[in-house]
Amino acid sequence: MRQRRRGSIALTLLCAMALLTAPGALAGTAFAAPEPQQGKSLEQVRKDIEDLYREAGTATDAFNLAESETKTQSDKIVEIANLVLAGQDRITALKGRAGAAARAQYRSGGLPPGAQLALSNNPTQFLDGSDRLRQGEKATSDLLSEMNRTQSDLQQYARDASAHWETLEANRVKQETSKKQVEEKIKAAEDLESKLEAEQKARLLQLEADAQYKAQNAWLSTGALNGSKGGAATDAGKRAVQFATAQIGKPYVWGAEGPGSYDCSGLTSQAWIAAGKKIPRTSQEQLRLPKVAVKDMRPGDLIIYFDDASHVGMYVGDGAMVHAPRPGRNVTMAGAGSMPIKAVVRPDA
């Protein structure tokens, strides 16, 4: 009960701050604006805008994943190119050795020195020559085998490069498709919001805060944090939280990883990089990190939201989290249960 009360108090303060800083929040007619036209209430418009931004968030995650995979494929192609260069240098060196052996054989009348000694009438020279002949044959065989292996490696590198190029192109198409979807959803949401008057926009902020407050209280009422055993943050967790909270006030920009702006997973991934641990870039990939129960979460853990894992925030304790909400909003604190929780993951498990 104490944990629930602390979380509720913290969220109340957060909502109060949001309302006090909202445009026109202190104006006497701030929340008396007429409802939007075309038969939709402002609450319905809020839900429509929220849905569009959620769809944009899903597309943003797809874009970020394609971008990450594109970088991986590009790095692999560069690695293969370096291997090809090394292989070509190796082939050149091996051909040089083979050429030197051929020239030596030509100068000796077509017989290598070992063969000439083997034909000698001197038994000692014959035995020594026979041994050298066997060594020469082995060296020639090894040289040819090495050349064949190197040639085979170069052929495999070519096949690998071709496969990576195909994947690279596929990821480029995914990026372009996702980018178009993000831009379309954000524009649709912005168009809806642009039709609102200033008073309605202020009221929209209040409705957002009310919805978050209601969801947080409903979550706390389930006893989600009762008997919490998450404990204190690790040193790395503290550094991650310090980084994330230091970004409060910076704008959400889809695909951004700082330092001036972030999207949701850009904020969490950069926070943990600052803490000394590299984690996946997208919220859907972050979902693969080790999971912990909600009652066991501790500061620094990541909370993955919605069934499609399209949003992520960082738990900071006392039932609150820090996150980059959506376009048009800044990095802020919110209730950990203000959105449907899919899972809690621990980067430093």
Side-chain angles (χ1 to χ4, degrees):
M1 179 63 72
R2 181 184 175 192
Q3 185 72 36
R4 177 184 170 189
R5 185 163 174 265
R6 290 171 65 190
S8 182
I9 291 172
L11 183 61
T12 300
L13 291 173
L14 291 171
C15 292
M17 289 173 63
L19 292 176
L20 288 174
T21 57
L26 299 181
T29 58
F31 306 122
E35 296 294 339
Q37 299 300 311
Q38 299 179 346
K40 283 193 175 183
S41 68
L42 189 58
E43 173 60 17
Q44 184 58 54
V45 171
R46 181 194 71 79
K47 289 180 179 178
D48 289 347
I49 291 173
E50 184 179 277
D51 288 344
L52 285 167
Y53 279 127
R54 271 207 57 213
E55 290 169 5
T58 301
T60 296
D61 220 37
F63 174 88
N64 289 337
L65 180 59
E67 185 175 52
S68 176
E69 290 177 344
T70 296
K71 184 180 184 307
T72 297
Q73 297 304 323
S74 296
D75 291 344
K76 286 181 178 178
I77 289 172
V78 170
E79 181 182 343
I80 289 172
N82 290 330
L83 289 172
V84 168
L85 287 174
Q88 289 174 337
D89 289 343
R90 185 65 181 157
I91 288 289
T92 300
L94 291 171
K95 286 181 177 179
R97 285 168 52 189
R103 288 191 295 273
Q105 185 174 352
Y106 175 79
R107 286 194 297 269
S108 62
L111 292 175
Q116 293 181 40
L117 290 172
L119 297 175
S120 171
N121 293 325
N122 187 313
T124 302
Q125 287 183 342
F126 174 78
L127 292 174
D128 182 53
S130 297
D131 183 58
R132 290 176 61 185
L133 181 59
R134 284 193 296 272
Q135 292 176 4
E137 289 174 344
K138 184 178 184 305
T140 300
S141 175
D142 290 347
L143 179 63
L144 292 174
S145 295
E146 190 171 356
M147 287 182 68
N148 288 334
R149 283 197 304 272
T150 306
Q151 290 282 14
S152 178
D153 288 344
L154 288 174
Q155 291 171 357
Q156 184 60 50
Y157 295 154
R159 289 191 291 270
D160 290 345
S162 177
H164 288 305
W165 273 115
E166 290 178 5
T167 304
L168 190 68
E169 177 60 18
N171 285 330
R172 187 193 65 77
V173 173
K174 286 181 186 176
Q175 276 183 279
E176 290 299 320
T177 301
S178 298
K179 180 181 179 181
K180 184 178 180 181
Q181 290 174 345
V182 173
E183 291 172 342
E184 287 176 349
K185 299 299 181 183
I186 291 177
K187 185 178 186 305
E190 289 175 342
D191 286 347
L192 274 178
E193 207 161 353
S194 69
K195 295 174 183 176
L196 301 177
E197 298 177 1
E199 293 84 357
Q200 291 173 323
K201 290 179 181 179
R203 187 178 173 197
L204 188 67
L205 285 174
Q206 182 193 25
L207 290 175
E208 287 180 6
D210 288 348
Q212 292 174 12
Y213 184 79
K214 182 178 179 181
Q216 175 75 353
N217 276 334
W219 177 66
L220 290 171
S221 69
T222 65
L225 295 182
N226 290 353
S228 176
K229 296 183 284 187
T234 61
D235 288 341
K238 289 177 183 176
R239 291 194 296 273
V241 169
Q242 288 169 354
F243 179 93
T245 53
Q247 313 312 309
I248 288 176
K250 293 183 179 180
Y252 176 108
V253 173
W254 71 272
E257 298 178 86
S261 58
Y262 298 87
D263 62 19
C264 65
S265 57
L267 176 66
T268 53
S269 59
Q270 289 300 310
W272 271 100
I273 286 175
K277 177 146 183 93
K278 183 175 175 60
I279 65 172
R281 167 64 175 90
T282 71
S283 56
Q284 292 177 352
E285 287 182 305
Q286 289 171 8
L287 179 63
R288 300 174 186 174
L289 294 170
K291 294 176 178 59
V292 296
V294 170
K295 65 181 178 62
D296 294 331
M297 63 184 175
R298 67 191 185 201
D301 288 345
L302 304 183
I303 307 175
I304 311 296
Y305 293 100
F306 303 112
D307 288 339
D308 60 359
S310 58
H311 192 70
V312 60
M314 179 178 291
Y315 189 60
V316 297
D318 290 332
M321 59 91 172
V322 60
H323 70 146
R326 65 167 176 82
R329 298 291 183 262
N330 298 332
V331 176
T332 188
M333 296 272 283
S338 57
M339 292 173 284
I341 296 176
K342 181 177 180 65
V344 178
V345 298
R346 180 161 292 166
D348 59 342

